[in-house]
Amino acid sequence: MSSPSKRRESDFMRMLMSDFTVETINDAVNEFNVVFHGPKESPYDGGVWKIHVKFPDSYPFKPPSIRFLNKIFHPNIDEHSGSVCLNVINQSWSPMFDLVNVFEMFLPQLLLYPNPSHPLNSDAGYLMMRDKKRYEQKVKEYCEQYAKKENILGSSVEDGSGSEEVSEDEDSSSDNEATGTEISKAIG
């Protein structure tokens, strides 16, 4: 691609053509929501989240901003702001990655392999390390209460400009890395 704006448009179009549901905000290609299903064989299976995506002007040289709009109980996702602590997005982003990679591989891996030793949500990290069964039970309770399809249909994101989002410069606490494990799409 010859420019960041063409790359943003290309990645946005690839998301539209994927199996993910994409909701535009003000008909813009730089800010939108994606419906994301929890990966199978995980405590998040059956959960459905709306994830807010915003491309910075310098995308793909800088990573997209990604945050969960409905609540999720996970050591590496802030329960209140929805910010995601994921090394491949926050510290080691490369222009070789694209948004489809984020939704097909990086986010499912994050949900399958949380890193409780460097939590963004310390309650979730502590519970996962001390009592994995109770942690998984709490994850399922959150899925039941906050991550049902009917919870996200028709909901809209507020302006989003004042949201707390973690950028690569703000968060250096994650050791999560993409493992390279092939994960099939988390679409149910």
Side-chain angles (χ1 to χ4, degrees):
M1 293 282 111
S2 61
S3 73
S5 66
K6 287 190 186 279
R7 174 64 187 271
R8 283 192 303 271
E9 290 171 15
S10 172
D11 279 13
F12 177 76
M13 292 305 295
R14 287 192 67 216
M15 284 300 296
L16 286 176
M17 295 184 319
S18 73
D19 291 335
F20 296 99
T21 301
V22 177
E23 303 170 348
T24 60
I25 298 173
N26 299 325
D27 295 323
V29 299
N30 66 332
E31 187 173 9
F32 49 92
N33 296 323
V34 176
V35 176
F36 177 75
H37 295 258
K40 298 208 180 300
E41 300 180 24
S42 79
Y44 300 94
D45 188 12
V48 182
W49 289 271
K50 187 177 282 191
I51 299 178
H52 183 74
V53 178
K54 186 171 184 178
F55 288 133
D57 290 340
S58 56
Y59 180 86
F61 304 106
K62 296 285 184 182
S65 169
I66 296 181
R67 66 183 173 95
F68 283 71
L69 294 177
N70 46 325
K71 285 187 177 188
I72 184 168
F73 192 74
H74 188 284
N76 310 113
I77 301 170
D78 185 271
E79 181 178 347
H80 303 291
S81 71
S83 297
V84 177
C85 181
L86 180 61
N87 188 42
V88 76
I89 295 174
N90 294 329
Q91 283 106 29
S92 56
W93 177 261
S94 165
M96 292 178 8
F97 302 138
D98 66 20
L99 199 56
V100 173
N101 293 133
V102 171
F103 282 93
E104 287 183 346
M105 199 166 63
F106 303 148
L107 286 178
Q109 286 180 356
L110 179 67
L111 296 188
L112 286 165
Y113 310 109
N115 183 358
S117 60
H118 295 330
L120 199 53
N121 178 336
S122 56
D123 292 339
Y126 179 80
L127 188 58
M128 184 179 185
M129 288 192 299
R130 301 290 266 167
D131 190 342
K132 191 159 182 174
K133 281 189 182 235
R134 280 188 46 216
Y135 164 78
E136 289 180 357
Q137 179 183 357
K138 186 140 183 148
V139 165
K140 290 175 184 179
E141 289 171 8
Y142 268 57
C143 287
E144 188 64 37
Q145 187 170 5
Y146 302 110
K148 291 295 178 193
K149 195 168 225 164
E150 57 269 14
N151 294 0
I152 64 167
L153 293 177
S155 66
S156 62
V157 66
E158 294 174 14
D159 174 47
S161 60
S163 65
E164 297 176 65
E165 296 177 6
V166 176
S167 72
E168 72 216 58
D169 298 327
E170 294 170 338
D171 181 23
S172 59
S173 65
S174 177
D175 287 339
N176 285 347
E177 303 239 1
T179 63
T181 304
E182 288 295 320
I183 296 178
S184 63
K185 285 189 179 180
I187 301 298

